[in-house]
Every structure is written in C-alpha cells, then in structure tokens.
C-alpha cells in the first residue's frame, strides 16, 4: 500500500522494520532492523516539531466529536475511576504531525459527549479553535473504527460518518456514539480487503503469536 513508508517511533527508532507487531514503542524488535536509533529529544525536536512527520497514528481511550483525545483518566484527576497509561508522545504527535489518523473501536464508552480529560487536542471546541492554538499540524483527518470512517466537517470540524464498513449500519454507528452522530448525505461503503491483504494480516498475526509464545517459554 505504501512502499515508501518510513516508520518513526517516538522511542527513537528511525526506519523501523518490525516483522511482528511490537508490544509497545519500546519493544526491542523496533530497533533490531531500524536504519538508526536516536534519542527521544531528537525524534521530537528534529523530526516531529520541525514538521518532518507526514502522518501520525494514534489510539484513544476516549474521543469527542471534535477529535480531542483522552488517554489520561476517567473521573476526577485527583481520584479517578480509571487511570490510563498517559500521554506519551500523543500530544506532540497530535499538535505537530502534518495529519493524524485515530484508530479505535467505536463504543459509547469511547465516543463520548464530553472528555474527562483532554490529553491530545484535535480541533478543540471546533471551527477555528485549533488554528488559534498555533499548532502547525492540520489535525486529525480520519477516525477509523470497526464500523466505519469519520472525517471532520470542513467548517465546524465536527466528525461525520462518511463511510460504513460492509455489514455495519448507520443505526449501529449511532448507538455506539455518545453524541448525536452526523451522517454524510452520500454515505460510502468501505471497500472489502482483498484476499491478499487478509492473508498478509493473518500471517502477521500468526508470526506475532508465535514470537510471543517463544519469548514466554525462554
């Protein structure tokens, strides 16, 4: 799909070529065949904040209609119901990458009306709020879920359902969203993955599972 893709992880690996899915950004498999391993400050200062990262990929514990992300806490910060791993490099990626894609499962617990904590800014309160913050990156351009694809409205920046995966319905997407989800007038249907793409993903999963079983038995 993207043969010239150059993988950068905030842990310092440039040109990472993992053969299995890494457990985290600090997994040694990322450094094993990387072109170079540099310091974390260099990744942020020279690569990310200088505008050299074209696409950032983020997950989320919670996300709102304007693509703002929470990966910090649910409930009061001082005594939360749930404490998540935290920000990591996500706020800087959200601020400085030329565009951001967010990938997560669509559920009412994740797609919320109001975030308990704003860890990474998408479009703030919508409209021109992001521009007033002075962030150089254009912000999140897509939220990809297990039900479909959402993109921001050009004016309001509210995320709108623009494509449904085959088998999913608008009703399912609305029920899985904690706000009144907007739906595009001309709703697309996401193309099915090809047999080759599915086989590549299955082989990757099989290699990853085999690798972890091997590590656990050593």
């Amino acid at each position: 799909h993207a043969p010239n893709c150059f993988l950068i992880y905030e842990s310092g690996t440039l040109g990472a070529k993992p053969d299995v899915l890494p457990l985290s950004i600090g997994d040694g498999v990322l450094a094993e065949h990387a072109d170079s391993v540099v310091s974390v400050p260099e990744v942020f200062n020279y690569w990310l904040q200088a505008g050299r990262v074209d696409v950032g990929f983020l997950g989320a514990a919670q996300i709102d209609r304007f693509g703002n992300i929470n990966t910090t806490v649910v409930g009061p910060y001082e005594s939360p119901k749930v404490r998540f791993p935290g920000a990591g490099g996500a706020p800087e990626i959200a601020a400085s990458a030329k565009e951001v894609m967010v990938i997560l499962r669509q559920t009412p617990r994740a797609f919320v009306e109001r975030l308990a904590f704003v860890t990474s800014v998408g479009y703030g309160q919508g409209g021109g709020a992001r521009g007033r913050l002075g962030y150089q990156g254009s912000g999140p351009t897509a939220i990809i879920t297990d039900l479909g694809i959402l993109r921001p409205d050009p004016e309001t920046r509210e995320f709108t359902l623009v494509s449904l995966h085959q088998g999913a319905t608008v009703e399912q997407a609305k029920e899985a969203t904690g706000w009144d989800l907007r739906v595009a007038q001309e709703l697309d249907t996401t193309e099915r993955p090809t047999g080759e793409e599915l086989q590549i993903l299955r082989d990757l999963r099989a290699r990853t599972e085999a690798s972890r079983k091997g590590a656990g038995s050593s």
Side-chain angles (χ1 to χ4, degrees):
H1 169 69
N4 296 320
C5 179
F6 185 80
L7 291 179
I8 297 175
Y9 288 80
E10 59 264 46
S11 54
T13 54
L14 307 180
K17 304 172 188 67
D19 190 49
V20 298
L21 292 172
L23 286 168
S24 72
I25 62 167
D27 194 328
V29 71
L30 297 174
E32 189 171 350
H33 300 293
D35 293 339
S36 179
V37 179
V38 300
S39 68
V40 171
E42 181 174 329
V43 171
F44 282 91
N45 187 30
Y46 181 80
W47 292 91
L48 185 57
Q49 294 168 343
R52 292 184 170 91
V53 174
D54 295 314
V55 184
F57 293 93
L58 295 176
Q62 292 182 329
I63 195 166
D64 69 11
R65 69 180 70 213
F66 296 117
N68 303 301
I69 289 173
N70 173 23
T71 54
T72 304
V73 296
V74 170
Y77 185 83
E78 295 76 13
S79 56
K81 296 178 181 178
V82 181
R83 186 174 293 279
F84 299 115
E92 287 293 339
I93 294 170
S96 300
K98 291 180 182 177
E99 67 171 303
V100 172
M101 296 185 184
V102 185
I103 303 172
L104 75 164
R105 190 176 297 276
Q106 194 164 348
T107 69
R109 293 180 66 182
F111 282 64
V112 297
E113 178 70 38
R114 183 179 177 84
L115 296 180
F117 188 96
V118 178
T119 309
S120 306
V121 176
Y123 294 107
Q125 299 304 311
R130 182 182 175 90
R132 291 191 291 273
L133 291 172
Y135 292 155
Q136 63 177 351
S138 63
T141 55
I143 302 174
I144 302 169
T145 81
D146 54 326
L147 298 177
I149 300 172
L150 294 80
R151 294 193 182 276
D153 180 90
E155 299 295 330
T156 67
R157 297 302 183 183
E158 180 175 342
F159 272 86
T160 301
L161 182 67
V162 298
S163 181
L164 276 174
H165 302 330
Q166 295 190 31
T169 66
V170 171
E171 290 71 25
Q172 282 179 307
K174 283 181 169 290
E175 289 174 2
T177 305
W179 67 84
D180 185 12
L181 179 65
R182 294 182 59 185
V183 180
Q185 290 186 348
E186 296 183 9
L187 190 61
D188 291 333
T189 300
T190 312
E191 290 186 15
R192 288 184 182 273
T194 66
E196 181 183 10
E197 289 168 339
L198 287 172
Q199 190 59 51
I200 289 170
L201 291 172
R202 288 166 181 157
D203 290 345
L204 174 61
R205 183 171 65 180
R207 290 198 307 274
T208 301
E209 291 175 351
S211 173
R212 291 176 184 169
K213 287 178 181 178
S217 61
S218 60

